[in-house]
């Protein structure tokens, strides 16, 4: 035994299990606590009335008409979920995705209706074109090549128009997700010009080209008709430093909050963004594939849904996420209550 008093003692003097034995002790030393107020529920809105159509690959999630969406938002508010992010499925899609920036677009209608019925609900809008274009890409496809080659600079003006139109409808936060270079700056300038300099932006800064978005593309009817999104979304095997560059650029262009997406397979990215950018609110998107996997296993009795979800969300929060976008928001609020 080493008797030098300056040497830290080891076992058996030190026993880390002492603080684990008693539930009250475990609680008092806990540093990561989930809170329903950190959660944002994604909702899908489609035309019609009284429509509540379950998404096959996402049991418990629905495409909702505006009236049903308002009902859903009210039931979220009742359990303490105070934020939603809206995705629109327009009646008609075209190469430019016109519904996305139309004053009478599906998301614009939804924003107005939710804000009118529930003024305290934080309404975030996803700013992107994949749900609105007939080819399913996140911007204008380069006519010359006809490939999955989204014309970056031609898309910026349209993204700005879309964001302004969401702001005019009453959105509280706009969230650009298209991974176009310069999109945050273009949107910021347009918002400022139109009198929305106060409107915050949550940028999907580090968004990876992920197979975990599979079920969402059914939910939002936004699967690309040809090609994939690897020409604009990030490479999962790319240098993690790229995520830091994306975040730094978005902050320089005026982003107020930063998102990492997906969440579970990218906890290292969340952690490194957290460590490099103190004081920046950080969000994680617990995406559709992460939801569907657990649902599928839970249905078969292979996993306990509640425990797995709470553990996963705890991991995201522990890795540095202040805010979590999750399809489980309502369940989690009930579980934590
Ligand atoms: C793009 C967008 C996507 C998701 C959120 N915003 C799809 C994509 O990039 O293909 C995915 C969310 C999820 O999988 O839950 N508008």
């Amino acid at each position: 035994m080493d008797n030098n008093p300056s040497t830290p003692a080891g076992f058996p003097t030190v026993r880390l299990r002492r603080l684990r034995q008693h539930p009250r002790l475990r609680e008092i030393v806990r540093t990561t606590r989930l809170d329903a107020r950190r959660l944002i529920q994604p909702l899908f809105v489609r035309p019609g009335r009284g429509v509540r159509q379950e998404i096959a690959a996402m049991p418990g999630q629905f495409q909702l008409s505006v009236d049903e969406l308002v009902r859903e938002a009210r039931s979220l508010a009742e359990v303490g979920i105070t934020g939603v992010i809206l995705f629109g499925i327009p009646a008609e899609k075209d190469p430019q995705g016109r519904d996305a920036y139309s004053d009478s677009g599906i998301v614009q209608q939804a924003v107005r209706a939710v804000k009118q019925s529930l003024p305290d609900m934080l309404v975030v809008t996803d700013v992107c074109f994949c749900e609105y274009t007939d080819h399913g890409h996140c911007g204008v496809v380069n006519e010359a090549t006809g490939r999955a080659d989204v014309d970056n600079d031609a898309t910026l003006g349209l993204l700005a128009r879309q964001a302004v139109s969401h702001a005019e409808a009453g959105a509280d936060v706009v969230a650009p997700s298209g991974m176009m270079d310069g999109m945050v700056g273009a949107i910021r300038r347009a918002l400022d010009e139109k009198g929305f300099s106060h409107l915050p932006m949550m940028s999907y800064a580090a968004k990876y080209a992920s197979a975990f978005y599979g079920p969402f593309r059914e939910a939002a009817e936004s699967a690309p008709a040809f090609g994939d999104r690897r020409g604009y979304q990030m490479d999962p095997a790319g240098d993690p430093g790229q995520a830091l560059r994306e975040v730094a650029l978005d902050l320089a262009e005026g982003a107020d909050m930063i998102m990492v997406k997906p969440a579970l397979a990218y906890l290292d990215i969340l952690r490194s963004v957290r460590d490099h950018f103190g004081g920046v609110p950080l969000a994680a998107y617990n995406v559709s594939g992460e939801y569907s996997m657990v649902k599928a296993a839970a249905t078969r009795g292979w996993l306990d849904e509640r425990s797995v979800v709470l553990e996963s969300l705890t991991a995201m929060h522990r890795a540095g996420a202040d805010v979590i976008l999750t399809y489980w928001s309502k369940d989690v609020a009930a579980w934590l209550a």
Side-chain angles (χ1 to χ4, degrees):
M1 247 337 258
D2 179 356
N3 289 319
N4 182 344
S6 66
T7 307
F11 177 83
T13 311
V14 176
R15 289 178 183 268
L16 294 181
R17 287 183 54 189
R18 285 187 200 116
L19 292 181
R20 294 179 195 151
Q21 293 166 44
H22 194 293
R24 295 285 84 73
L25 268 174
R26 287 200 297 275
E27 257 173 12
I28 213 164
V29 298
R30 198 165 276 164
T31 56
T32 304
R33 274 177 225 280
L34 291 175
D35 181 340
R37 286 169 294 193
R38 297 178 179 282
L39 304 180
I40 294 179
Q41 169 71 36
L43 294 175
F44 300 98
V45 60
R46 66 169 309 135
R49 270 199 81 75
V51 181
R52 190 175 169 85
Q53 193 171 315
E54 191 161 32
I55 298 154
M58 301 178 73
Q61 304 299 314
F62 301 84
Q63 293 183 344
L64 304 164
S65 52
V66 172
D67 54 325
E68 288 290 325
L69 182 94
V70 171
R71 276 178 44 163
E72 185 64 32
R74 186 167 292 121
S75 79
L76 286 162
E78 277 163 11
V79 295
I81 299 298
T82 52
V84 293
I85 181 165
L86 303 183
F87 296 95
I89 303 140
E92 275 176 45
K93 305 191 186 216
D94 58 64
Q96 287 228 328
R98 288 175 202 284
D99 192 88
Y101 48 85
S102 157
D103 190 42
S104 55
I106 186 68
V107 158
Q108 288 79 354
Q109 293 175 40
V111 171
R112 277 189 222 102
V114 175
K115 290 307 294 185
Q116 197 183 354
S117 302
L118 301 155
D120 292 339
M121 177 64 79
L122 188 80
V123 177
V124 184
T125 55
D126 183 80
V127 178
C128 191
F129 278 94
C130 61
E131 299 117 63
Y132 303 94
T133 52
D134 52 9
H135 46 69
H137 281 286
C138 299
V140 183
V141 170
N142 201 325
E143 299 271 336
T145 65
R147 288 183 290 116
D149 181 13
V150 175
D151 187 332
N152 191 88
D153 298 9
T155 301
L156 296 181
L158 294 174
L159 285 170
R161 260 178 94 169
Q162 186 183 359
V164 167
S165 137
H166 292 174
E168 285 168 349
D172 297 302
V173 179
V174 292
S177 68
M179 289 303 284
M180 296 297 126
D181 287 324
M183 69 178 182
V184 172
I187 292 172
R188 185 73 271 162
R189 279 188 297 279
L191 288 172
D192 292 357
E193 266 167 33
K194 301 283 181 182
F196 294 104
S197 59
H198 58 280
L199 199 90
M201 204 183 315
M202 172 166 74
S203 155
Y204 290 63
K207 176 174 179 181
Y208 285 85
S210 172
F212 287 100
Y213 308 151
F216 175 94
R217 292 180 186 169
E218 179 207 321
E221 300 178 10
S222 64
F226 53 86
D228 54 46
R229 303 208 204 291
R230 283 182 283 192
Y232 38 105
Q233 297 179 349
M234 294 169 70
D235 180 2
D239 184 336
Q242 290 269 315
L244 300 178
R245 292 186 70 192
E246 288 282 0
V247 171
L249 279 167
D250 283 7
L251 290 173
E253 291 176 29
D256 303 282
M257 292 173 72
I258 289 298
M259 194 199 296
V260 171
K261 177 180 174 213
L264 260 197
Y266 297 84
L267 293 180
D268 57 327
I269 305 296
L270 266 174
R271 169 47 59 195
S272 91
V273 171
R274 172 78 297 153
D275 289 346
H276 280 82
F277 299 94
V280 176
L282 181 58
Y285 199 139
N286 175 212
V287 301
S288 57
E290 300 173 46
Y291 178 85
S292 301
M293 288 194 300
V294 175
K295 281 284 178 191
T299 307
R300 296 180 164 215
W302 290 352
L303 280 179
D304 179 56
E305 182 179 11
R306 171 183 170 147
S307 311
V308 166
V309 171
L310 292 175
E311 184 177 334
S312 303
L313 298 187
T314 297
M316 293 164 204
H317 188 21
R318 191 183 64 228
D322 305 301
V323 174
I324 303 174
L325 289 80
T326 178
Y327 299 99
W328 276 292
S329 294
K330 205 200 275 183
D331 295 322
V332 172
W335 293 333
L336 295 178

